[in-house]
Amino acid sequence: MTNKPLSAQQLSDYHRDGYLIVKDFCSAAEVEKLYSTALNDDAMRKNALDLNDQSGKKTRLSLWFTPGNDVFGYLTRSQKMITPVNQLLDGDAPVCHFHSKLMQKEPRVGGAWEWHQDYGYWYKNQFMFPDQLMSVMVALTNANKENGCLQVIKGSHKLGRVNHGFAGEQVGADMVMVNNALQTMPLVYCELQPGDALLFHSNLLHRSEANLSDGPRWSVISCYSRQSNIAYNETSTSWKTPVEIVPDEAILEWDAGSLSNNDFLAKENDPALKETGWEK
């Protein structure tokens, strides 16, 4: 894919539905380099977090804040990533990178993600404006119903923030409102091929089933905000640092360092996973 802007129709679809799928967002060569790095860079494995779903199955992710001079940092900072994000986020302040995470659903054992909104987590970071927050998921392997692809409730971002409590070790949305939404709006399975991208609003209700297939489901999700969107309970600084954009060619052509120097999240430091009193 070139870094051409999203069309007027794509912008309209995103704001109506709360999400947008862009096919072939990354080339096969880019996906191969990203996936190979994910598998072979020790920093990803050493800094992986396990979060239990309600059944006790583990969901694994590695999360870091500052995009570096590694292949994932180049993707996060690439022109083709920042161009649509800048079009879709409300406001006109510079685009900042909140965090990225490598989602690792292993065959047969990769757990579910419960129904939630990303802003259900990020509300605890005390970000002020959910319309200035969004995520971009790039599939590194096939994502389908069998291996637990993302499910979304189409248009649910228009509900505003739904109350969230704990579901296992995860933060889950109030199921009364989720069930109301499921009776009102369509449920969509976002099946992706490697290299496809899913762009979605911070208030979109979404979940994924456990991976019961014989193959892995891996993806990278980069989360963005505007510099004008203050996070009053966030100790990292990437959320307020404008992205230093690099050309798309950097992903394949520039020297890529290790992720070992990245500022990975430790589970005990995540405010979204701590009780505040209003979850009950």
Side-chain angles (χ1 to χ4, degrees):
M1 173 188 169
T2 63
N3 58 33
K4 66 181 181 181
L6 297 175
S7 68
Q9 185 61 58
Q10 287 175 308
L11 294 174
S12 176
D13 290 348
Y14 176 88
H15 291 299
R16 180 194 65 212
D17 301 336
Y19 72 96
L20 178 71
I21 292 175
V22 179
K23 306 297 288 183
D24 300 318
F25 184 82
C26 285
S27 69
E30 289 171 337
V31 170
E32 181 180 2
K33 187 171 184 179
L34 289 160
Y35 191 38
S36 175
T37 301
L39 290 172
N40 296 314
D41 193 308
D42 284 344
M44 284 293 194
R45 177 178 51 80
K46 291 177 180 177
N47 290 282
L49 309 177
D50 288 323
L51 296 178
N52 292 328
D53 64 17
Q54 292 191 88
S55 71
K57 284 185 176 291
K58 294 185 182 299
T59 58
R60 172 163 289 191
L61 62 90
S62 306
L63 185 152
W64 63 96
F65 294 97
T66 306
N69 294 317
D70 55 83
V71 65
F72 286 97
Y74 294 152
L75 172 66
T76 297
R77 297 160 53 201
S78 65
Q79 187 72 56
K80 69 178 174 184
M81 187 75 94
I82 302 304
T83 294
V85 168
N86 190 45
Q87 289 180 274
L88 293 171
L89 288 176
D90 187 45
D92 55 10
V95 173
C96 301
H97 170 261
F98 178 28
H99 63 241
S100 287
K101 45 189 178 274
L102 179 70
M103 312 299 291
Q104 306 154 55
K105 277 200 175 186
E106 297 299 345
R108 301 289 177 185
V109 297
W113 281 98
E114 314 297 345
W115 280 113
H116 69 281
Q117 300 164 312
D118 287 342
Y119 193 56
Y121 284 81
W122 301 339
Y123 183 80
K124 290 189 177 182
N125 302 97
Q126 297 177 21
F127 279 101
M128 299 302 292
F129 304 118
D131 289 340
Q132 294 185 21
L133 287 160
M134 67 172 293
S135 297
V136 182
M137 169 191 281
V138 177
L140 301 181
T141 63
N142 286 316
N144 50 48
K145 288 184 181 181
E146 185 182 12
N147 66 14
C149 70
L150 208 69
Q151 303 170 34
V152 305
I153 303 179
K154 188 175 182 178
S156 59
H157 64 303
K158 295 182 179 179
L159 292 171
R161 185 184 68 85
V162 173
N163 283 339
H164 284 64
F166 283 101
E169 288 188 301
Q170 301 174 24
V171 175
D174 174 8
M175 285 306 298
V176 172
M177 286 300 291
V178 170
N179 288 327
N180 290 343
L182 286 168
Q183 294 182 64
T184 309
M185 292 168 275
L187 170 66
V188 178
Y189 288 82
C190 296
E191 296 191 298
L192 305 174
Q193 299 294 318
D196 292 347
L198 173 67
L199 295 74
F200 57 102
H201 190 281
S202 68
N203 268 335
L204 184 73
L205 282 165
H206 58 285
R207 74 179 298 267
S208 62
E209 295 278 9
N211 181 5
L212 302 180
S213 75
D214 293 325
R217 184 175 79 76
W218 285 39
S219 61
V220 59
I221 305 177
S222 293
C223 308
Y224 296 94
S225 183
R226 293 279 188 197
Q227 193 178 37
S228 53
N229 194 12
I230 306 300
Y232 286 95
N233 188 34
E234 176 53 51
T235 58
S236 69
T237 59
S238 61
W239 63 268
K240 58 184 177 181
T241 305
V243 172
E244 295 183 10
I245 301 171
V246 300
D248 296 345
E249 293 75 22
I251 301 169
L252 290 179
E253 297 177 8
W254 287 17
D255 289 337
S258 169
L259 286 90
S260 58
N261 294 322
N262 284 15
D263 47 352
F264 285 93
L265 173 71
K267 186 191 292 189
E268 61 271 17
N269 294 333
D270 189 351
L273 299 179
K274 296 178 181 178
E275 291 271 4
T276 63
W278 53 259
E279 295 93 350
K280 300 185 185 302

